[in-house]
Every structure is written in C-alpha cells, then in structure tokens.
Amino acid sequence: MIPALEIRHLRLDLGGAPILRDVSLAVPAGSRLAVVGPNGAGKTSLLKCLCGIHRGWKGRISLDGVDIHGFGQRERARRIAYVPQPGGRLSPYTVRELIIMSRYPHLSHFGTQKMTDHELVRDLLARTGLGPLADRPLATLSGGERQKAHLAAALAQEAPVLLLDEPTTFLDPRHAFEIRSLLQRINREDGVTIVEVSHDLNTAVMDSDRVYALREGATAFFGPAERFLDEDVLGAIYGRSFLLADHPVTGRRVLVPEPVER
C-alpha cells in the first residue's frame, strides 16, 4: 500500500549548518505519528520541509506516491495542512473569518464561496465547540480557544494529512485534553493522517500509533509507540535516565516525574 507521506534521505542545511541528516520514514494513511526529540533536534524544521516553508532541502518527499514538487501551492494545501506552534502575531480576524479563509484551496480563482463552504464552516464551529465564539476576534480568545480556532482552520482545508507542532503547549489540562480528544476523533473517525511534534512523551505514546525520534537532526528511533518508553531507548535519545511505571488504566509504561532535591 502506498503511504500517505513518505520521506527519503531528507537533508536540510540552514546557515551552513546541518539541521536534518538523512531522514527517511513512511507514514501509512490514516495513522498517527508522534515526532519527538530534544530541543534543537530538528522536529519543527521537519514539519516546515513537509509543508513548504523550508525549500532548500535535498532528498524526496512524496504524498500518496507523488513527488511533492509536482504540486502547486493550492494543490499542496488540498493534500496537507499545517498548524504551527502556538504564539506569534495574532490575526486581526474573527474565528469564522479565519476558517472561511482557510477554504482557499477549494475556492475559485475569484474567491467565490459556495453554500457548501459555509455549511462546512458551521460544522467545524460546532465540532470544535467554537460556535459561541464564531464572531469573536482571535485576539480576545484564550490560548486554548485560539488553538482550537487554528485547528478548525486547518481542517477547513479538508486535507488528508495534518501536521501539528506542539498543539497543546501552554494549555491548561482541560483545554489540552479537549484538543487531544478532538484530534483522536479526527484520526479515528475521519481517517486523517496526523503527524504531531510533541515534547510530552506520555501523551505522544498514548495517542499515537508510532513514534519517530530525532537527535541532532538524525533518526534516533522509529517504531511502535509502545516500544518507545524504554530505558535504553530514552537514554540514547536524551542522554539521561528516567523513572518509568505502568499506567493504572492502560498498563502501558509511562514517565513518572522525578523529585528535585530541596
């Protein structure tokens, strides 16, 4: 079966320094992949290569077996959507405006919106719980509400592959769980392939099928999620030891916070 996303021998240099070195992996359609690794390992740079922000890379990236260079901007946006890290400059638009603008890959060259576009926006507002906030400017929302709005905008592209960069960073436990639950439904019910960068190793393992770990721009681990939380694997990637225990509900291994000497 042709993978939804395939990377072969990807290399990226920025400012003369190697950022990604010989990265190769395949992501099956409908699966969920967590991308992890230490700070500066190249995780965000990998996503930026996939969505077209970084262009000077070498190697091959294909979507459904087709080289990504064969797609124009609009066609690529129909196939792959990207939600960057939270933060940065706030958009002056309302939630509804942000979502409808994200329909641009499917609109005519004149930007004409159809009834089906507005129906999709209403469905996304309801699905993400943003209906009551539809006409609020993004700058007036909480961090969790804004993150839902940007996720809804990405879903408006109706792309079969969704790239996420730390989607629950800075969120309180309730909003983080709501985002995780929404992503799980998108993956399981809609069959959207998800590639998600995360520093939360416990949720990365619990929510994903497979884990891909980078260290200094190179592959350090690629395999089933349940095999990732291993003392030897973690030690090789992060250069330190961890405390592990069995989750009381799933039975899977999880990281336990270590006490700091007082």
Side-chain angles (χ1 to χ4, degrees), residues 21 24 74 95 102 139 144 161 170 188 194 202 206 217 221 245 260:
R21 299 181 288 127
S24 294
R74 286 167 62 91
V95 173
S102 298
V161 177
F170 308 131
R188 298 286 174 82
I194 296 178
N202 282 332
M206 283 191 288
F221 175 89
V260 178

Side-chain angles (χ1 to χ4, degrees), residues 73-94:
Q73 182 177 356
R74 286 167 62 91
E75 181 62 25
R76 182 183 299 195
R78 292 191 193 105
R79 293 172 176 265
I80 195 164
Y82 172 56
V83 182
Q85 290 181 4
R89 188 176 66 180
L90 294 180
S91 167
Y93 303 105
T94 67

